[in-house]
Amino acid sequence: MKALVATGDVAEPVRFAEVEQPQPGPGEVLVKVEAFSVNRGETFQLEAPRAGWRPGKDVAGLVVQAAADGSGPAVCRRVVGHPPAGGWAEYVCVPVSSLAELPDGLDAVLAAALPLAGLTALRLLRTVGSVAGRRVLLTGASGGVGHYFTELAAAAGAELTVVTASPERGRRLAELGAAEVVHELGEARGPYDLVLESTGGADLPLALARLARRGTLVWFGQASRTPATLDFFDFFAGPESATLRHFHYADSDVPDGEDLATLVRLAAAGRLSPEIGLVAPWERTATTLTDLRDRRIRGKAVLTVA
């Protein structure tokens, strides 16, 4: 089958190759991929790929071989899936526990934009608990996680301030329910009961300084790719006795498939809106990755597989 493989070359990070079609293991189905989306983490991994690794964690398509044990969706069922890797290909094996079936009203392009970003946003909301009436600050809100979290948190009653450098993305976040949009973290007016920080570097201590006494900061990313430095004594200037919590979306007690089913239900009902900046044939994947790196694409990039 055809698949996109990592080259390690920044100028052309992926190329097509003929690889062996995968065979489902226990509790897995074989999916014919119709569309896949690109995640920031994958673009980082492509810079120095591990031997044998192939990108692709967000896919939508058609089940062409059901699980041998009879679990999961049957052949010809449309699904969205979150495999560990290898989804930028004609076929991919996906654990039954990482699949959700798609209703007729939700197409593969929209569904492919849901998994990693949607799972992260949904699980962030679950991690922080009830946000009704709470003042919440979200940094790095321009991406998929920011859009999904804004929509979910606003619907749950949060008074949400988002940080985005893009006026265009800021207007969209306001439409999705953000109470306030700022374009630099220094413009955010605390204190906040809850801060969700995804940038790292110099922004983490700035975000912490806007946290209320005994508030919680959830650190869920480091998009700046720069380590943060914190000073113990800075906590006494406001966020005294605050909680600083590390978050990884994959550390979940709820299986991916169950949370994907929730995301599918919300999207099908119009309560969750995938923000897609580009839909293109997968022959344009290498160019798309360059455009994403240079920020010429806003929103999710979804590639369709012929």
Side-chain angles (χ1 to χ4, degrees), residues 60-220:
L62 192 71
V63 175
V64 294
Q65 184 175 338
D69 61 5
S71 62
V75 171
C76 293
R77 302 301 298 178
R78 298 172 60 247
V79 294
V80 59
H82 192 53
W88 297 6
E90 291 182 298
Y91 298 91
V92 65
C93 292
V94 185
V96 167
S97 61
S98 297
L99 283 171
E101 293 195 33
L102 296 177
D104 292 340
L106 192 63
D107 66 26
V109 167
L110 288 176
L114 286 172
L116 194 150
L119 290 171
T120 302
L122 183 64
R123 290 169 178 176
L124 276 170
L125 195 59
R126 182 180 295 136
T127 295
V128 301
S130 174
V131 294
R134 300 177 74 188
R135 297 198 72 213
V136 182
L137 175 66
L138 174 67
T139 70
S142 293
V145 175
H147 281 78
Y148 288 139
F149 184 84
T150 296
E151 200 164 11
L152 292 171
E159 183 184 342
L160 180 64
T161 296
V162 297
V163 184
T164 172
S166 166
E168 177 188 356
R169 307 309 280 174
R171 287 190 291 271
R172 180 57 178 148
L173 290 164
E175 291 173 357
L176 293 174
E180 184 177 15
V181 177
V182 296
H183 300 302
E184 293 182 8
L185 184 51
E187 299 171 0
R189 297 170 295 177
Y192 296 96
D193 305 303
L194 175 66
V195 172
L196 296 106
E197 212 293 292
S198 64
T199 308
D203 277 356
L204 181 58
L206 284 175
L208 179 68
R210 282 149 179 79
L211 189 63
R213 177 172 175 260
R214 297 182 183 173
T216 299
L217 186 148
V218 179
W219 191 8
F220 72 98

Side-chain angles (χ1 to χ4, degrees), residues 267-301:
R271 296 168 58 192
L272 196 64
S273 309
E275 299 290 321
I276 297 176
L278 172 77
V279 179
W282 71 328
E283 288 83 3
R284 287 181 53 192
T285 301
T287 302
T288 298
L289 291 169
T290 301
D291 288 342
L292 285 168
R293 181 195 64 199
D294 296 339
R295 300 186 181 277
R296 289 192 288 264
I297 298 172
R298 297 289 186 177
K300 273 284 189 182

Side-chain angles (χ1 to χ4, degrees), residues 208 211-215 234-243:
L208 179 68
L211 189 63
R213 177 172 175 260
R214 297 182 183 173
D234 286 346
F235 284 75
F236 294 100
E240 189 170 8
S241 302
T243 298

